[in-house]
Amino acid sequence: MDLFSPADAPAAVALRERSDIDNRYKWDLASIFPDWSAWEVAYAELDGRISEFARLQGTLSSGSDRLLAALELRDVIGQLSYKVWYFASLRYDEDQRDNDINAKRQQVQILFAKAAQASAWFDPELLAIPLATVQEWLDGSAKLATYRFAVEDLYRQQEHVLDDKGEHLLSLSSRFSSAPYDAYAALSTADLKSPTLTLPSGVSATLTYGQYRALLATNRSQADRAAAFTAFHETFEANTNTYAALYNAILQRDWFYAQARGYQTMLEAALHGNNIPTAVVDNLVAQTKAGAAPLQRYHRLRRRVLGLDTYHTYDSAIPLVEIDEKYPYDEVLDWLPRSVEPLGVEYQKQMREILAGRCVDVYENKGKRSGAYSAPVYGCPPFMLLNYNDTLDAVFTLAHEMGHSMHTVLAHAHQPFVYASYTIFVAEVPSTLSEALFLRFMLERTTDPRQRIVLLQHAIDGIVGTFYTQVMFADFELQAHRLVEEGKPITADVLGDIYFGLLKGYSGEAIDYDQQSRITWARIPHFYGTPYYVYQYATCYASSAEILKQILAAPESERPAAVQRYLSLLRAGGSDHPMTLLQRAGVDLGRPETVQAVVQQLDQLVTQLEDAIEKL
Ligand SMILES: [Zn+2]
């Protein structure tokens, strides 16, 4: 076993050329454009439409038909943009060594910059018209009424926009507002000296973050893991005061903007765009903290199964058992639609169509982009890029991306272009629900206790990583932001105390703590790059757990209605604020019960894991 390869790395096989892969496993982009010359024609049309839009400046106040004309042209530009961008971008991802295609992709980016300039007049010109006037127009035209939510939401967002002088002043600050993040990125990556050490087992290791993670997930010697943990954290401890100063700069910057725009708190400012009440985050944090018992039970179970006298944070990634099970793509193709049987025959049929329709780019080839995604192209089926390698992780990635793709299919089929895309706040609901249904399917057909343990650990680690850890991070952000709002100092000691306190609050007595965990906050890129963002992973997870509970609920008579509510959520795309859409799907993130649905899910999974281990 190669200790330093990622935990989910495929066996080292020589990479194939794309041309050596059967067409059946490659996407067919002809539904976007048949060839590059058709793309060129569309590119030229898009360019022309962008100029046409610029010429509409100054017309909006003339009446409702002028506003409608501008909104419709904006939709035409949007739809063309999707096709022109994705054709170049998806072709590029097939083989990123191709410079000609890369040049075409960049050509689209340049055109997009032009489009942004050519349409910059639109929002201010619309907002200069009184809302009451625009609402009269919306009432008077069925075609214009389609845009009601988009238009009214623009006015709502206007609440915290300053006058011209204020906005100009704020815009001048943009040149230096990214400085603390840039400095963090340089300190934690470009300038970071990854430690090289000889582990107690005698193996030498250089610990980049990726290699450190891989070591914790594969190295069965606790002494090795402990040594790696110490060496890795020392690199951050060496600059602890610098990290604290940079994070303080991020907090002070955001407090400056929040106050300048008239928000009470930074959380309120962060949630205003999606119209989310701040109580959602408070509820999430409070209920998760109160529901830490199954997490602690899982840690204690791991300690026992792994036969460890002491159990540390660096012991939490090692698999409980190893199996060498392969999941060939052609087999999984049948399992996936069967796994979503609770969502109905029509849903299964649509999923089969995607899987059979050459929308999936399955295998890795020379030059292909890594990772996985689902690309929504309005007017075409969703295209999925995978790097499928027959592992369990690859199957769950497919199930995850399939959830995104089905969301796209249903939203596109039921929404006009303006509402066809959805926000991150709902995006991870169908992807996580799709994974949960797949897990359920696999558990039902698996009798081998070792395989059950692997499946259950996969699911539990998913909840720990995308739910508990993210809520703990959100909790950290809340506490740090509040100190700044109260005018209190932010130092390395203060941040270390918050983080260490949270770690103990969530994991209780189940972990033997190392003083070095105090510094872990310093490494988390989201804290510096996208403050108050990670909570959305957790709210999506909670929403999906609550929906799943309703769909699989007893009594059976209530299930069809729950399925319909869920499908309505997918069909709704971005036609309303995410909280409203979720409420219609039967999910209220302001209620304790919604968050408790994840706690219950984890509790059941840990019980199932205990049973499977018992049987071994
Ligand atoms: Zn996703």
Side-chain angles (χ1 to χ4, degrees):
M1 185 173 62
D2 175 4
L3 286 182
F4 304 110
S5 63
D8 58 352
V13 286
L15 267 187
R16 287 181 285 183
E17 286 294 343
R18 189 166 177 81
S19 53
D20 294 334
I21 297 174
D22 194 306
N23 277 344
R24 196 153 74 82
Y25 302 110
K26 291 184 284 193
W27 57 30
D28 176 10
L29 304 179
S31 63
I32 310 180
F33 295 118
D35 50 34
W36 282 109
S37 59
W39 178 85
E40 299 278 0
V41 171
Y43 183 94
E45 194 199 337
L46 178 58
D47 197 358
R49 295 289 193 163
I50 289 167
S51 306
E52 197 184 325
F53 194 81
R55 289 195 294 274
L56 297 184
Q57 183 168 6
T59 62
L60 295 189
S61 61
S62 319
S64 83
D65 58 332
R66 295 295 80 209
L67 176 58
L68 179 63
L71 288 167
E72 287 181 339
L73 180 56
R74 202 171 65 164
D75 283 356
V76 170
I77 291 170
Q79 292 183 45
L80 262 173
S81 298
Y82 266 96
K83 289 189 160 189
V84 168
W85 164 253
Y86 272 120
F87 189 74
S89 169
L90 299 179
R91 286 297 307 271
Y92 175 65
D93 288 348
E94 290 174 359
D95 186 347
Q96 298 187 330
R97 296 169 303 178
D98 192 321
N99 279 249
D100 290 341
I101 296 180
N102 192 14
K104 288 191 165 75
R105 198 172 135 274
Q106 289 182 29
Q107 219 180 311
V108 187
Q109 286 168 328
I110 293 164
L111 190 59
F112 283 178
K114 183 183 163 185
Q117 279 174 16
S119 60
W121 59 272
F122 181 84
D123 287 2
E125 191 174 314
L126 176 59
L127 291 166
I129 306 171
L131 176 60
T133 308
V134 175
Q135 280 171 331
E136 258 174 52
W137 294 352
L138 291 167
D139 293 340
S141 153
K143 278 189 175 172
L144 196 58
T146 305
Y147 297 92
R148 181 182 296 276
F149 172 70
V151 167
E152 289 182 349
D153 198 51
L154 189 67
Y155 279 86
R156 183 190 65 81
Q157 301 215 13
Q158 179 68 5
E159 286 167 22
H160 294 277
V161 174
L162 307 182
D163 61 13
D164 286 353
K165 205 174 152 197
E167 284 298 321
H168 178 66
L169 194 59
L170 286 190
S171 74
L172 291 178
S173 71
S174 69
R175 299 277 176 89
F176 59 82
S177 66
S178 67
Y181 177 77
D182 295 342
Y184 156 77
L187 184 67
S188 65
T189 49
D191 292 347
L192 187 78
K193 309 263 180 299
S194 295
T196 298
L197 73 160
T198 303
L199 299 168
S201 64
V203 183
S204 162
T206 297
L207 300 175
T208 62
Y209 180 59
Q211 284 160 336
Y212 171 63
R213 290 261 315 234
L215 188 147
L216 295 192
T218 54
N219 192 318
R220 294 222 160 253
S221 152
Q222 189 186 38
D224 278 7
R225 295 197 298 270
F229 173 86
T230 302
F232 185 74
H233 282 73
E234 275 169 358
T235 60
F236 287 90
E237 281 179 330
N239 295 309
T240 175
N241 295 303
T242 310
Y243 282 110
L246 291 172
Y247 188 49
N248 188 32
I250 300 269
L251 298 169
Q252 299 297 342
R253 175 199 69 190
D254 289 350
W255 187 217
F256 162 72
Y257 287 125
Q259 290 181 102
R261 292 194 177 283
Y263 292 102
Q264 295 299 308
T265 63
M266 287 179 265
L267 183 63
E268 192 190 312
L271 302 188
H272 184 252
N274 271 333
N275 203 18
I276 312 277
T278 53
V280 164
V281 178
D282 293 328
N283 180 46
L284 177 73
V285 166
Q287 293 308 320
T288 309
K289 215 179 247 172
L295 175 71
Q296 298 174 10
R297 229 172 92 219
Y298 177 54
H299 286 317
R300 285 194 295 269
L301 178 65
R302 287 182 55 85
R303 177 200 296 244
R304 187 160 60 79
V305 175
L306 293 170
L308 298 173
D309 291 332
T310 60
Y311 183 81
H312 302 259
T313 52
Y314 49 77
D315 296 321
S316 62
I318 201 84
L320 293 173
V321 296
E322 309 262 12
I323 54 164
D324 193 23
E325 183 85 16
K326 292 275 171 262
Y327 303 88
Y329 182 73
D330 285 315
E331 243 170 76
V332 174
L333 275 188
D334 178 48
W335 296 347
L336 222 75
R338 283 166 61 194
S339 74
V340 295
E341 187 256 347
L343 299 179
V345 182
E346 183 59 24
Y347 190 95
Q348 288 181 294
K349 191 179 136 239
Q350 282 170 313
M351 186 181 274
R352 285 209 173 87
E353 277 165 17
I354 297 180
L355 290 169
R358 291 203 50 203
C359 307
V360 192
D361 210 72
V362 182
Y363 295 114
E364 197 177 7
N365 59 249
K366 276 186 191 160
K368 184 171 164 177
R369 184 196 194 278
S370 61
Y373 62 70
S374 167
V377 189
Y378 194 79
C380 302
F383 291 100
M384 275 188 285
L385 178 136
L386 305 175
N387 279 279
Y388 195 87
N389 59 8
D390 294 357
T391 59
L392 189 66
D393 274 341
V395 189
F396 276 96
T397 300
L398 171 61
H400 181 103
E401 298 306 331
M402 204 61 199
H404 288 310
S405 290
M406 289 300 294
H407 195 183
T408 299
V409 165
L410 292 170
H412 285 196
H414 293 88
Q415 292 301 322
F417 176 75
V418 60
Y419 306 128
S421 58
Y422 37 80
T423 65
I424 160 88
F425 201 82
V426 285
E428 298 301 340
V429 176
S431 52
T432 46
L433 192 115
S434 185
E435 284 192 67
L437 284 174
F438 190 75
L439 174 79
R440 177 176 168 271
F441 173 82
M442 291 291 281
L443 284 175
E444 273 172 9
R445 64 187 294 285
T446 306
T447 46
D448 174 14
R450 293 181 72 85
Q451 205 184 359
R452 287 185 69 83
I453 291 170
V454 170
L455 282 167
L456 289 163
Q457 191 190 336
H458 182 96
I460 291 169
D461 289 347
I463 295 182
V464 174
T466 51
F467 185 78
Y468 280 90
T469 304
Q470 304 307 327
V471 176
M472 197 179 87
F473 286 171
D475 204 341
F476 176 85
E477 291 190 289
L478 268 180
Q479 294 191 36
H481 282 75
R482 281 180 182 159
L483 285 178
V484 167
E485 287 161 359
E486 290 162 8
K488 302 216 172 104
I490 296 288
T491 63
D493 282 348
V494 167
L495 295 170
D497 285 347
I498 296 177
Y499 194 85
F500 209 45
L502 283 169
L503 207 55
K504 289 178 171 170
Y506 281 75
S507 296
E509 306 281 295
I511 280 185
D512 295 291
Y513 297 96
D514 300 274
Q515 279 300 314
Q516 282 188 305
S517 289
R518 293 176 57 88
I519 189 69
T520 305
W521 64 269
R523 189 194 55 73
I524 314 299
H526 283 100
F527 292 164
Y528 305 84
T530 47
Y532 280 141
Y533 181 89
V534 295
Y535 80 94
Q536 299 180 103
Y537 296 122
T539 48
C540 280
Y541 211 99
S543 305
S544 136
E546 173 65 27
I547 291 171
L548 190 72
K549 200 172 105 186
Q550 295 177 15
I551 288 175
L552 302 176
E556 224 170 294
S557 60
E558 286 173 17
R559 292 185 193 176
V563 170
Q564 282 315 312
R565 284 198 301 271
Y566 174 58
L567 296 179
S568 304
L569 171 71
L570 304 191
R571 291 183 192 124
S575 58
D576 211 328
H577 292 124
M579 281 289 283
T580 312
L581 295 176
L582 286 167
Q583 269 158 3
R584 274 188 234 143
V587 177
D588 186 346
L589 284 163
R591 295 178 64 223
E593 291 83 352
T594 310
V595 180
Q596 286 161 2
V598 188
V599 177
Q600 287 162 13
Q601 209 179 57
L602 181 63
D603 193 58
Q604 286 160 5
L605 287 167
V606 174
T607 304
Q608 284 177 284
L609 181 61
E610 283 167 348
D611 289 350
I613 287 166
E614 202 72 14
K615 289 203 179 92
L616 198 65

